[in-house]
Amino acid sequence: MASPQATETEIQTRVADLMSWMTVEEKAGQLTQYFTFPGVTEELENVETEVRAGRAGSLLFVSDAAEIDRLQHIAVEESRLGIPLLFAYDVIHGFRTAMPVPLALAASWDPSLAEDCQAIAAKEARSIGLHWAFAPMVDIARDPRWGRMIEGAGEDPFLGSAMAAAQVRGFQGDRIGAPDRVIAGPKHFAGYGASLGGRDYDEVDLSDSELWNIHFPPFKAAIEAGAGNIMSAYMGLNGVPASGNKWLLTDVLRAEWGFDGFVVTDAGAAADLETHHFAMDRPDAAVRALNAGVDMEMAPPFGGDAAFRSLPDALASGRITMDRLDEAVARVLTMKFRMGLFDAPFVDVAASERTLATAAHGDVALRAAERSAVLLRNEGGLLPLSRDIGSIAVIGPFADAARDTSGPWIFRQDDSETVTVLAGIRAAVGNGTRVDHSVGVSVPKRLHPSIFENPFLPPTPVIEVDDDAEIARSVALAQEAEVAVLVLGEAEVMIGEHASRSTLDLPGRQQELLDAVLATGTPTVLLVMTGRPLDFKGAQPTAQMMIWYPGTRGGEATANLLFGDAVPGGKLPYNWPRNIGQIPLPYAHLRSFKPEETEMRYWNEPNGPLYPFGFGLSYSSFDYANLRLSSDCIAVGQSVEVSVDVTNTGVRAAEEVVQLYIHQRYGTAARPVRELKGFNRIALAPGETRSVTFPLTPDRLRYWSSATRGWVQEPTTFDIFVGGSSQGGLATVLKVDALA
Ligand code: GLC
């Protein structure tokens, strides 16, 4: 039997040998993944039948060590060939220890931090018997109405690529098969973040230029980092559903990028080729998906018939070939051998309990939450607060909301282990500080339930109060306090999948609460708990900080930031529009016609973001000087180094994200006014100056040109910008000549 350290040759020999014993039905079974939700018994009985019959290759959403072990014993000991199952789960930002949501990790601009977080997520997940995470989500998103923006790294392909690769390394380590790692499954290939109107699941229409320059790069980076799996998306891409799109799943993924892992569809997305009115019926859907390049079907949840069950008939009728069927099966079996499942398929249940939610894991979650926060306002240097402050009023529906503090897409955390903002503040101050709390307002119900509000998950806590009375009480508390801390935003069920919104307003009567507290004149800190830019209607709190959904130790991290034990250093991973009417509002936009009127694109209000991509304040300040190039003229194909001196001009140690942007002045296509092509988060002591150098290599200067319909790096002149945001900074010019 092949071992986890088996060579690829040994694995391929074992795969071929095993396949020679398999029936066509068993081969189709390896390509089928079923949902199993705890407590949904009739589905579980059906799944067990399929497993015993050798008609299941993988299960998802089982997240209990003993249950995984029980099902694996059925597969190994009761099916004809005893092929172990791959167990998969949405480990997006932690399994039991909730890390900050992925968009928050992107806001840290620290890929190594993201890698650390996902390594812990992988360790906890693997300890209970999971082998595969449906993550990282690497969809580029530029429309904050789309709730799933929270799962990715924001709007920029360069930041998104760095985060994608780092998370793959975190999940998998340096090779697939390590005992405390899992297979990474970047998703959702591709273009899902550009759905019409930000409406989840709605169609996507993207130009080749947008696909190649914006939406593909993070997937390519994830594959180059070794991702073992790719998940194909639900939606229609330029009229061809992603999960039936041969150009996408074969021409790009395999032929262009050389991806050698396996492709799984999103939930039911193979069967749903029929509902797209793309496939004639479900058997046709199965054929179209397999022939497009899908290797495994994630069957429809809640017992929906698996489309791939009809593959034996499709083979008999010649609509699929044995070669294509075998190719898909070999990819799945190869992954199982690489993961060592044939040697060690079962779960050490006792060991898993020792691995989950350790203090060390929590410490990483704490550090991640501290480094993800983005300080947006700090008038008069209100922050950091003194620990000796006399009184603080902590107000808002999310001030003491454990489930929301963990965020969406996490189901096995223990809410009692989560530190809320209120708990963090109470623990941080001394006995001499009075800390009052009011919920402020209710959290309204969604128009329709979240897909995660199901019997198999703990119920979503309800926050329901007498708003009028609570607003009045909150005002009174704010009036009496030295400082008011407001925690406002969106409940975790209001963002993520199936959670798009047609407005960026604060849900419920939170805006009224915000305005009423500000009207007291008490210095106010607004902490924002959400994963998208919201519209606060011009309200101007004294200080404002994005804390995202900061995870298990989020409240502690927030308190450390409020009192200065941690210094905010995060930067926005998206442009923050003034209001929803401006969307889309990418920072990397073209000059287009009359670029001098960019701010005047609307007659009724100024254009431009409220806060730009890459923006974030600190408790210190930084000076940039001496921007220089290793050469101010290079030839196509050559590299240059960009250097700058950064000084901490404040009195506190702090961190700055130094950012490099380029603008190509002319070429076969017009290029954005700025494109991120380098970043480095550095720590500086007060008064310290550090030189930061970025390599500017041909792969960072090339782009996919819709004029030549291919990748080009062309003779041109670049504006080079370096600073602490996508606006401002120092500038210089780089000339690129044609090849000598
Ligand atoms: C969901 C999501 C996908 C997730 C999968 C399994 O519908 O689109 O991101 O990994 O189904 O839960």
Side-chain angles (χ1 to χ4, degrees):
M1 285 293 217
S3 72
Q5 284 71 35
T7 66
E8 201 56 27
T9 306
E10 285 167 352
I11 287 176
Q12 291 316 314
T13 303
R14 292 292 181 200
V15 166
D17 173 55
L18 178 52
M19 286 178 67
S20 68
W21 294 91
M22 294 172 75
T23 65
V24 169
E25 189 179 66
E26 286 166 335
K27 288 180 179 178
Q30 284 303 304
L31 308 185
T32 308
Q33 178 184 62
Y34 285 105
F35 272 86
T36 46
F37 292 117
V40 185
T41 46
E42 76 281 353
E43 171 154 48
L44 198 52
E45 286 158 10
N46 168 51
V47 164
E48 288 181 16
T49 303
E50 296 305 291
V51 170
R52 280 193 187 88
R55 290 195 298 260
S58 174
L59 300 181
L60 80 140
F61 244 87
V62 196
S63 58
D64 173 80
E67 180 63 356
I68 287 176
D69 192 55
R70 182 183 74 83
L71 290 164
Q72 190 70 297
H73 273 281
I74 292 175
V76 172
E77 295 161 356
E78 299 182 33
S79 73
R80 189 176 77 89
L81 293 174
I83 300 173
L85 295 162
L86 271 176
F87 286 89
Y89 198 70
D90 289 287
V91 188
I92 314 292
H93 59 104
F95 176 71
R96 167 76 169 272
T97 304
M99 301 296 169
V101 290
L103 190 62
L105 294 179
S108 75
W109 291 57
D110 181 353
S112 65
L113 176 71
E115 182 174 342
D116 293 347
C117 289
Q118 298 303 25
I120 285 168
K123 190 173 180 182
E124 293 193 351
R126 190 68 188 274
S127 77
I128 68 121
L130 293 169
H131 309 117
W132 168 17
F134 298 128
M137 190 275 225
V138 301
D139 301 311
I140 294 295
R142 298 181 159 187
D143 188 330
R145 293 172 291 184
W146 191 53
R148 304 199 74 169
M149 183 177 205
I150 188 171
E151 299 172 48
E155 73 172 75
D156 180 78
F158 189 89
L159 178 61
S161 298
M163 287 296 163
Q167 293 182 77
V168 168
R169 291 192 298 269
F171 281 122
Q172 296 186 168
D174 54 13
R175 65 171 176 80
I176 287 176
D180 59 351
R181 306 282 183 154
V182 295
I183 300 163
K187 64 187 183 182
H188 309 75
F189 196 55
Y192 184 19
S195 61
L196 215 54
R199 293 182 293 274
D200 202 8
Y201 309 144
D202 213 328
E203 66 186 275
V204 168
D205 215 56
L206 287 169
S207 67
D208 285 344
S209 172
E210 287 172 302
L211 281 167
W212 287 108
N213 289 312
I214 298 168
H215 295 272
F216 282 172
F219 285 98
K220 186 167 185 285
I223 288 167
E224 286 170 351
N229 166 257
I230 289 285
M231 181 187 292
S232 63
Y234 283 130
M235 83 294 146
L237 175 61
N238 301 331
V240 181
S243 293
N245 192 315
K246 188 171 173 59
W247 173 75
L248 201 59
L249 302 179
T250 298
D251 300 351
V252 174
L253 200 56
R254 306 284 180 184
E256 186 81 17
W257 293 344
F259 176 60
D260 70 351
F262 70 109
V263 174
V264 69
T265 67
D266 203 338
D272 285 348
L273 294 181
E274 180 188 7
T275 53
H276 277 267
H277 284 188
F278 171 75
M280 177 175 60
D281 53 25
R282 188 150 291 195
D284 182 41
V287 167
R288 309 282 288 275
L290 186 82
N291 287 341
V294 167
D295 298 308
M296 180 183 280
E297 170 195 21
M298 185 187 298
F302 303 109
D305 273 348
F308 275 20
R309 196 177 288 169
S310 62
L311 288 181
D313 294 342
L315 181 71
S317 64
R319 298 201 63 203
I320 63 171
T321 65
M322 182 64 90
D323 284 352
R324 175 60 194 121
L325 185 67
D326 284 349
E327 180 183 57
V329 176
R331 286 169 176 158
V332 172
L333 293 179
T334 296
M335 212 47 76
K336 293 185 175 183
F337 274 111
R338 284 184 187 160
M339 289 296 287
L341 300 194
F342 287 87
D343 296 336
F346 304 121
V347 186
D348 180 345
V349 179
S352 73
E353 280 309 316
R354 294 192 296 273
T355 308
L356 300 178
T358 65
H361 295 177
D363 291 345
V364 173
L366 171 66
R367 182 166 165 271
E370 290 172 348
R371 296 175 67 77
S372 302
V374 181
L375 182 62
L376 298 170
R377 291 172 58 88
N378 191 19
E379 297 305 302
L382 173 66
L383 295 178
L385 302 173
S386 158
R387 284 178 185 281
D388 303 327
I389 189 169
S391 59
I392 300 178
V394 183
I395 300 165
F398 305 114
D400 199 30
R403 179 67 55 80
D404 299 306
T405 305
S406 296
W409 274 117
I410 194 155
F411 312 101
R412 296 306 304 260
Q413 84 279 19
D414 178 341
D415 287 339
S416 69
E417 294 169 350
T418 301
V419 182
T420 65
V421 172
L422 176 64
I425 290 173
R426 286 195 196 283
V429 297
N431 297 330
T433 302
R434 176 181 166 167
V435 179
D436 291 309
H437 166 59
S438 69
V439 167
V441 287
S442 311
V443 174
K445 280 239 170 285
R446 292 172 39 125
L447 185 62
H448 44 71
S450 156
I451 55 173
F452 300 116
E453 286 173 315
N454 289 289
F456 63 87
L457 286 174
T460 302
V462 174
I463 301 175
E464 204 157 6
V465 293
D466 173 343
D467 287 1
D468 293 326
E470 266 297 287
I471 290 175
R473 193 166 81 83
S474 302
V475 167
L477 291 179
Q479 282 166 336
E480 290 156 23
E482 281 183 47
V483 168
V485 174
L486 273 165
V487 189
L488 305 178
E490 294 177 292
E492 57 94 10
V493 292
M494 295 177 174
I495 199 164
E497 182 175 3
H498 200 246
S500 292
R501 279 181 82 205
S502 63
T503 168
L504 299 180
D505 295 352
L506 281 165
R509 295 174 59 180
Q510 294 183 82
Q511 184 70 45
E512 192 180 334
L513 175 65
L514 170 59
D515 295 340
V517 168
L518 292 180
T520 66
T522 298
T524 298
V525 181
L526 171 59
L527 300 176
V528 187
M529 187 177 286
T530 184
R532 48 171 144 228
L534 294 177
D535 182 351
F536 296 109
K537 307 298 180 190
Q540 299 202 322
T542 320
Q544 181 176 340
M545 194 185 304
M546 275 302 278
I547 60 170
W548 313 102
Y549 297 97
T552 297
R553 301 276 289 272
E556 186 180 345
T558 302
N560 289 344
L561 289 158
L562 289 174
F563 294 103
D565 295 319
V567 178
K571 301 284 186 177
L572 288 178
Y574 50 65
N575 250 2
W576 187 305
R578 295 171 190 281
N579 71 58
I580 196 169
Q582 296 174 280
I583 291 167
L585 185 72
Y587 86 89
H589 62 84
L590 302 185
R591 288 167 59 88
S592 189
F593 179 61
K594 291 202 172 187
E596 70 281 2
E597 294 191 2
T598 298
E599 282 290 313
M600 300 154 59
R601 295 291 194 225
Y602 303 109
W603 65 262
N604 60 312
E605 68 175 303
N607 189 32
L610 184 62
Y611 304 107
F613 173 83
F615 174 81
L617 299 174
S618 169
Y619 293 155
S620 191
S621 52
F622 303 94
D623 177 66
Y624 286 73
N626 195 14
L627 175 61
R628 57 207 182 269
L629 302 175
S630 54
S631 166
D632 56 15
C633 182
I634 58 174
V636 168
Q638 290 181 332
S639 300
V640 67
E641 289 192 337
V642 184
S643 300
V644 70
D645 296 340
V646 186
T647 302
N648 178 347
T649 52
V651 296
R652 284 174 176 274
E655 302 199 5
E656 169 72 328
V657 180
V658 184
Q659 302 158 48
L660 164 69
Y661 295 87
I662 67 171
H663 167 61
Q664 177 168 303
R665 289 189 181 174
Y666 59 89
T668 55
R671 300 300 296 145
V673 292
R674 290 208 187 190
E675 282 182 276
L676 180 71
K677 293 296 179 183
F679 62 90
N680 187 351
R681 179 167 176 159
I682 60 171
L684 292 172
E688 181 185 1
T689 296
R690 171 101 53 90
S691 278
V692 178
T693 297
F694 299 100
L696 206 43
T697 49
D699 64 307
R700 297 187 183 189
L701 297 177
R702 71 176 198 156
Y703 68 97
W704 195 93
S705 166
S706 43
T708 63
R709 302 201 59 71
W711 289 97
V712 294
Q713 193 216 336
E714 44 207 0
T716 184
T717 299
F718 283 99
D719 292 300
I720 307 292
F721 306 95
V722 178
S725 161
S726 61
Q727 292 185 351
L730 301 181
T732 187
V733 175
L734 170 69
K735 185 109 180 55
V736 179
D737 288 340
L739 267 177

